[in-house]
Amino acid sequence: MKRLRWLNIGVLTTAFLLTVGSSNSLKAGTFDSQEVNSDNFIAVAAPFRDDKYQLLIIEQRSNQRACWQEVGSNPAIVDPLLLNFDFTSICGRSTDSNGYSIRMEGQDLGLDYLLRIVERNGELVLVGTNRMNRQAPKVEIGRTQGLSNGNFLKIQLNPGWRFTRRAYQGQELGHIYLTSDTAAPVAPAMSTPPNPLPPAAPEPAPVQTEREFIFTKPTEENTPPSVTVPTLENPATSPQTLPPPSSNQTVPVLEQLR
């Protein structure tokens, strides 16, 4: 339980330390490296959750007490003894990119590559992956040479890889390099997707002309209007109303005069 709590704390603080580590690596080109005794260092695959592993580097700084113990081989199980006592000034511990990075052919790749542990072919492999270009080749650094679920496992560095320490103007720093004298792989250029075409302008909606309709109430009967004519006898009197013509009324025909 104590180990899991310690690892969980390291995982939760990784995001913050990544920011700090990036600021420390902004001038990575100005950093140097110094050789160290590799027997005082060990790279460990440390389990933390859901059968996942993260890289842990332990340094033996003093002979006062042992910082770790190895049991067996292929894979070698590691007992991190520094968890059982106050290891200040006795042991060093690096749990994220703030404490370690890749250095190849004299170049600090802390800003370019992220260290990860992946399971492959029945063992755990320590690889460096390009942070920005997923098409870039992975850098293989070491392997556990076997599996043992739930245990801390030693990572055997591949031939050509070693531990060194970061230095600035001759002063040693706590940052640890996984160092190789070979050049970093050349990353292919990232393909840029074509810019999407701008969306087509929407067609204007057809203008609908409005027509005004006037409705009149139909009359119940189609009655012709009455006609009034004045009489010759008394033109000053009110006009008389003529009855409407009936349908049976006949029009008189005048006989042709001979």
Side-chain angles (χ1 to χ4, degrees), residues 79-155:
D79 185 4
L81 300 176
L82 78 168
L83 301 181
N84 302 324
F85 60 89
D86 182 7
F87 58 85
T88 305
S89 72
I90 301 175
C91 309
R93 180 192 66 186
S94 301
T95 60
D96 50 62
S97 60
N98 187 55
Y100 50 67
S101 62
I102 299 176
R103 188 178 184 90
M104 301 187 71
E105 200 181 31
Q107 183 180 3
D108 189 328
L109 301 180
L111 291 179
D112 301 323
Y113 281 83
L114 178 68
L115 285 164
R116 299 173 54 243
I117 295 178
V118 297
E119 182 176 347
R120 183 192 303 165
N121 299 327
E123 63 180 351
L124 301 177
V125 183
L126 176 62
V127 297
T129 57
N130 194 293
R131 294 176 183 267
M132 302 299 296
N133 191 348
R134 295 184 178 181
Q135 300 176 1
K138 293 180 175 60
V139 178
E140 185 176 308
I141 301 169
R143 56 187 63 240
T144 60
Q145 299 178 359
L147 279 176
S148 180
N149 293 333
N151 291 313
F152 292 75
L153 304 179
K154 180 179 180 179
I155 298 175

Side-chain angles (χ1 to χ4, degrees), residues 26-27 36 38 51 70 73 110 154 177 203 221 242 253:
L26 289 178
K27 298 180 180 180
V36 298
S38 293
D51 297 330
E70 301 178 28
S73 61
K154 180 179 180 179
Y177 286 131
E203 296 182 0
E221 296 180 0
L242 297 179
V253 180

Side-chain angles (χ1 to χ4, degrees), residues 15-93:
F16 170 76
L17 294 176
L18 279 173
T19 304
V20 177
S22 297
S23 63
N24 291 338
S25 301
L26 289 178
K27 298 180 180 180
T30 64
F31 290 131
D32 297 323
S33 64
Q34 292 186 357
E35 299 295 330
V36 298
N37 184 357
S38 293
D39 293 337
N40 293 334
F41 294 84
I42 185 173
V44 180
F48 64 96
R49 68 163 182 247
D50 299 333
D51 297 330
K52 295 181 180 180
Y53 293 82
Q54 65 177 10
L55 175 61
L56 165 67
I57 295 180
I58 303 176
E59 177 187 0
Q60 185 76 49
R61 295 180 177 176
S62 170
N63 294 329
Q64 184 176 349
R65 297 185 64 172
C67 298
W68 76 86
Q69 183 179 2
E70 301 178 28
V71 178
S73 61
N74 299 328
I77 298 176
V78 178
D79 185 4
L81 300 176
L82 78 168
L83 301 181
N84 302 324
F85 60 89
D86 182 7
F87 58 85
T88 305
S89 72
I90 301 175
C91 309
R93 180 192 66 186

